[in-house]
Amino acid sequence: MSTWLIALVSFGYVCLLFFIAWRGDRTNQSSASGHTQSSPWIYSLTLGVYCTTWTFFGAVGQAAQNLWSFLPIYLGPILVFLLMWRFYARLILVSRRENITSIADFISARYGKHEGLAMLVTIIAAISVLPYIALQLKALVMGYMALTGNDPTDLAHINDRQDIALTVAVTMAIFAIFFGTRHMSANEHHRGLMHAIAFESVVKLVAFLILGGYVTYGLFNGVGDLFGSVQQQAQHDPALAEWLSSSPFNSGLMVQVLLAAGAFICLPRQFHVAMVENTHPRDFLVARWIFPAYLILVGLFVVPLVMAGKLLLGDSVSADTYVLMLPIEADQAGLSLLVFLGGFSAATSMVIVSTVALSIMVSNHIVLPLLLRKDQVKNSDYLHFRGILLNARRTTILILLFLAYLFYRFIENTEALATIGQIAFAVVVQLAPAMLGALLWQDANRTGVIIGLVMGVSVWFYTLILPIWLEHLPWLTPLTASLPSGLQPKTLLGIEWFDPVTRGAALSLLFNLAGFIVGSRYFKTHINERIQATRFQGTQLESVDQQESLLNVRITQDELCSIACRFVEQPKLDAVFQSRASHERATQQEI
């Protein structure tokens, strides 16, 4: 397919996204509440930002390695919506009531509104987002090279691939800046942007369903014919027979489902569209059924597509390109272009929402605290201060996409898309204990969260990132070569269960959870954390009386003294407490 045609179609698609976003902003301005009859459906479809190129291209590539290994990507979120929907609804209600602007804001607000904790969560979110964005760039470049008939791994085209990735990154940055940083408010709603994201969710779903239907019922005579052809081929191919006989029920897959569920709750982009962009709590009641159905439809043709890919393409191409190479091999140019746009939608929606969400975190929890320490900024008017923060967000988006582009160049020759996505999932799921404790554990405190995060991320780095460095940087090998087997990155604590990524993710999460529990048990919970706990854990979140909640908070004398001494001289304060203690002793004697 000619380069100019792909470029023209892509440019036209981006222009359409700009129009949809602009029209969505206009519709929001014309509505007094910003909530319309279509809002529940738009909200439900924006949750489809969860389906990135990892699910669009990588799920088939992952299934080519192990037939059922793609299931956790879909089962995790589905189980959250079916079994944990009350917890998820409480997250939405608390976020709306507290005017939460990001996942970092949520965690820091629950644990005493601590700036250092918010900054730590922001850094972890950035670590998880950068490789994910690079993954989207890699997938789009891979798709473009396949459409133009070039080998994505050919070094002769390395400059072309890098130019394409840079162009896509710049385009996404412009879109995110234009529709994600136009205004600044307490609720951070971006209605126009959400309309565009919902549209992209439709595009990638329709593209995947049309491709799956064509391959299953066009190239073959249905699922039965396709499965029979694979079984017949497996009789002469032991590797294919072993792949086909793999069981979906194993302990590793169950662990991956739990990790996917935790990551779904903690993904910055998912938190943003689900919590921050929610305009009415009832929208979730609709999304509770629409989003699981959406995921089921997206995963409906994964197995038929990978079977067709193994039969028609085999090892001649990377399994991650099966989705795009099948229509190309069938000489279906129009369908190939539609599939490319589906992958383009999956990538752009993820990148745009992630960069907007992360720019809010960086500006609110890193830039803003630094600015407030300067007297000239403190004394500036609202418009000037607003301009500084918006420019900080725009700059953050540009820096993030530039860093993601550099990361893309680092992983350019890495084949497996799913592995990169799993490693990113493993670090973002470190936020899960803090999120669950925020609503479920009254005694959870900031110290426990910080200890857990530091321990979890450290183990994640040691078990998942360090082995990659050791492979590419041989001079680091002596650092771990002399360690005993139980301390080696790949066999930490002597545990060799599961695959390396699942093992590293599970171990890091266990260390995180242990640090969280021990830290919360043995370190003091401050008064502001207790107050916030009552706001986050009320049984009737929509009608919690704040004054009544505060009366139920148990405050020690030391905590009361630390507050009162700011307004009363210490000698007078000591006299008051001594008088109170004498009165209590006299009362007890009378009794």
Side-chain angles (χ1 to χ4, degrees):
M1 193 172 294
S2 61
T3 301
W4 69 265
L5 177 60
I6 301 172
L8 182 64
V9 171
S10 301
F11 177 76
Y13 181 76
V14 171
C15 291
L16 178 60
L17 292 180
F18 268 90
F19 173 76
I20 293 172
W22 171 80
R23 188 63 182 268
D25 277 339
R26 291 285 300 271
T27 303
N28 180 53
Q29 293 172 2
S30 63
S31 175
S33 63
H35 192 270
T36 62
Q37 290 183 347
S38 60
S39 291
W41 282 90
I42 293 174
Y43 174 75
S44 302
L45 290 171
T46 57
L47 297 177
V49 73
Y50 173 77
C51 298
T52 65
T53 55
W54 180 11
T55 52
F56 196 86
F57 295 122
V60 173
Q62 192 174 9
Q65 303 300 321
N66 186 303
L67 180 57
W68 304 108
S69 60
F70 73 97
L71 283 177
I73 306 171
Y74 303 93
L75 289 180
I78 290 174
L79 291 178
V80 169
F81 270 59
L82 295 182
L83 303 180
M84 296 179 61
W85 68 273
R86 292 186 182 277
F87 171 81
Y88 208 73
R90 289 181 66 189
L91 282 176
I92 295 173
L93 291 172
V94 170
S95 299
R96 283 178 50 82
R97 190 185 62 185
E98 300 296 317
N99 283 328
I100 298 298
T101 59
S102 66
I103 189 169
D105 188 24
F106 183 93
I107 293 176
S108 66
R110 163 59 180 85
Y111 299 102
K113 301 186 178 181
H114 190 263
E115 288 182 7
L117 178 57
M119 189 178 298
L120 178 61
V121 174
T122 300
I123 293 172
I124 293 174
I127 292 173
S128 71
V129 165
L130 283 178
Y132 228 132
I133 296 177
L135 180 66
Q136 312 309 306
L137 297 178
K138 176 178 171 59
L140 286 182
V141 171
M142 179 185 68
Y144 174 86
M145 298 301 288
L147 277 183
T148 55
N150 296 309
D151 183 1
T153 62
D154 189 354
L155 295 178
H157 298 286
I158 187 170
N159 292 329
D160 293 338
R161 296 201 301 268
Q162 292 173 359
D163 291 342
I164 296 166
L166 184 60
T167 302
V168 172
V170 171
T171 303
M172 293 180 183
I174 293 173
F175 192 94
I177 289 172
F178 195 80
F179 290 104
T181 63
R182 295 176 64 184
H183 56 80
M184 187 174 64
S185 60
N187 53 27
E188 297 292 351
H189 287 166
H190 307 91
R191 290 294 87 198
L193 178 61
M194 292 302 104
H195 279 70
I197 299 303
F199 174 76
E200 292 201 288
S201 294
V202 174
V203 171
K204 58 193 175 189
L205 175 61
V206 169
F208 205 80
L209 289 178
I210 291 177
L211 171 66
Y214 171 75
V215 170
T216 305
Y217 299 98
L219 299 182
F220 295 88
N221 294 323
V223 177
D225 177 45
L226 178 56
F227 185 70
S229 300
V230 173
Q231 284 186 315
Q232 184 177 1
Q233 180 69 24
Q235 295 176 2
H236 311 285
D237 188 342
L240 184 61
E242 182 181 359
W243 172 82
L244 193 61
S245 62
S246 60
S247 172
F249 303 104
N250 59 76
S251 56
L253 187 136
M254 300 305 168
V255 172
Q256 291 170 10
V257 169
L258 294 177
L259 292 173
F264 173 78
I265 295 173
C266 301
L267 285 169
R269 69 177 187 277
Q270 213 62 41
F271 187 93
H272 185 84
V273 297
M275 315 299 169
V276 181
E277 296 291 348
N278 180 272
T279 58
H280 199 285
R282 290 195 184 93
D283 291 350
F284 174 72
L285 299 179
V286 178
R288 183 192 167 197
W289 302 108
I290 293 179
F291 182 62
Y294 181 92
L295 289 178
I296 292 172
L297 290 175
V298 169
L300 191 62
F301 287 105
V302 170
V303 173
L305 286 174
V306 72
M307 286 183 174
K310 281 187 171 292
L311 286 174
L312 301 179
L313 300 172
D315 297 330
S316 62
V317 298
S318 169
D320 286 328
T321 64
Y322 279 176
V323 169
L324 199 53
M325 290 304 297
L326 282 170
I328 291 176
E329 195 71 14
D331 199 23
Q332 296 292 324
L335 181 57
S336 302
L337 198 56
L338 176 63
V339 172
F340 175 76
L341 287 180
F344 189 83
S345 298
T348 53
S349 60
M350 177 272 160
V351 173
I352 291 169
V353 176
S354 294
T355 52
V356 169
L358 202 54
S359 70
I360 292 173
M361 283 189 268
V362 170
S363 65
N364 288 359
H365 305 301
I366 296 179
V367 176
L368 181 59
L370 295 176
L371 288 177
L372 290 178
R373 295 175 184 175
K374 297 182 178 180
D375 293 335
Q376 61 268 32
V377 175
K378 287 182 180 179
N379 299 327
S380 60
D381 59 19
Y382 167 75
L383 292 178
H384 178 66
F385 191 76
R386 172 181 175 273
I388 293 175
L389 277 185
L390 287 179
N391 287 331
R393 293 183 182 182
R394 292 161 185 159
T395 304
T396 300
I397 290 173
L398 291 173
I399 293 174
L400 283 172
L401 283 168
F402 177 70
L403 291 176
Y405 169 72
L406 295 180
F407 196 92
Y408 155 76
R409 295 187 61 168
F410 177 74
I411 65 169
E412 191 173 3
N413 296 321
T414 303
E415 292 187 2
L417 297 181
T419 301
I420 302 171
Q422 285 178 312
I423 292 176
F425 259 35
V427 68
V428 78
V429 79
Q430 302 302 320
L431 303 176
M435 292 290 290
L436 293 173
L439 297 188
L440 302 179
W441 191 17
Q442 181 88 15
D443 295 328
N445 63 33
R446 176 173 66 243
T447 306
V449 172
I450 294 175
I451 293 175
L453 288 176
V454 171
M455 290 178 61
V457 174
S458 299
V459 174
W460 168 82
F461 176 84
Y462 188 72
T463 57
L464 294 179
I465 302 300
L466 187 58
I468 297 176
W469 286 13
L470 292 174
E471 290 180 6
H472 293 85
L473 303 172
W475 57 271
L476 289 175
T477 303
L479 296 177
T480 60
S482 59
L483 294 175
S485 177
L487 295 179
Q488 290 285 340
K490 294 184 178 181
T491 57
L492 186 63
L493 300 182
I495 297 176
E496 300 182 12
W497 312 321
F498 318 135
D499 62 275
V501 177
T502 303
R503 181 175 61 247
L507 275 174
S508 62
L509 190 57
L510 286 175
F511 273 84
N512 184 337
L513 190 60
F516 177 54
I517 294 174
V518 172
S520 297
R521 285 287 187 183
Y522 292 98
F523 287 88
K524 182 180 179 180
T525 301
H526 297 278
I527 180 176
N528 51 355
E529 294 181 78
R530 295 183 183 182
I531 293 173
Q532 288 300 103
T534 61
R535 295 188 58 82
F536 276 64
Q537 297 178 3
T539 54
Q540 299 295 328
L541 291 173
E542 289 182 290
S543 59
V544 171
D545 188 337
Q546 182 178 0
Q547 294 181 351
E548 182 181 347
S549 298
L550 291 177
L551 291 175
N552 292 329
V553 177
R554 299 170 64 181
I555 304 174
T556 65
Q557 179 174 313
D558 290 339
E559 291 170 338
L560 184 59
C561 181
S562 66
I563 297 175
C565 67
R566 302 176 185 178
F567 311 100
V568 181
E569 295 178 357
Q570 191 65 40
K572 294 182 179 180
L573 192 60
D574 292 338
V576 170
F577 281 117
Q578 289 175 3
S579 175
R580 176 65 180 174
S582 300
H583 177 71
E584 289 182 351
R585 285 195 296 269
T587 302
Q588 290 176 356
Q589 290 176 358
E590 291 178 2
I591 294 175

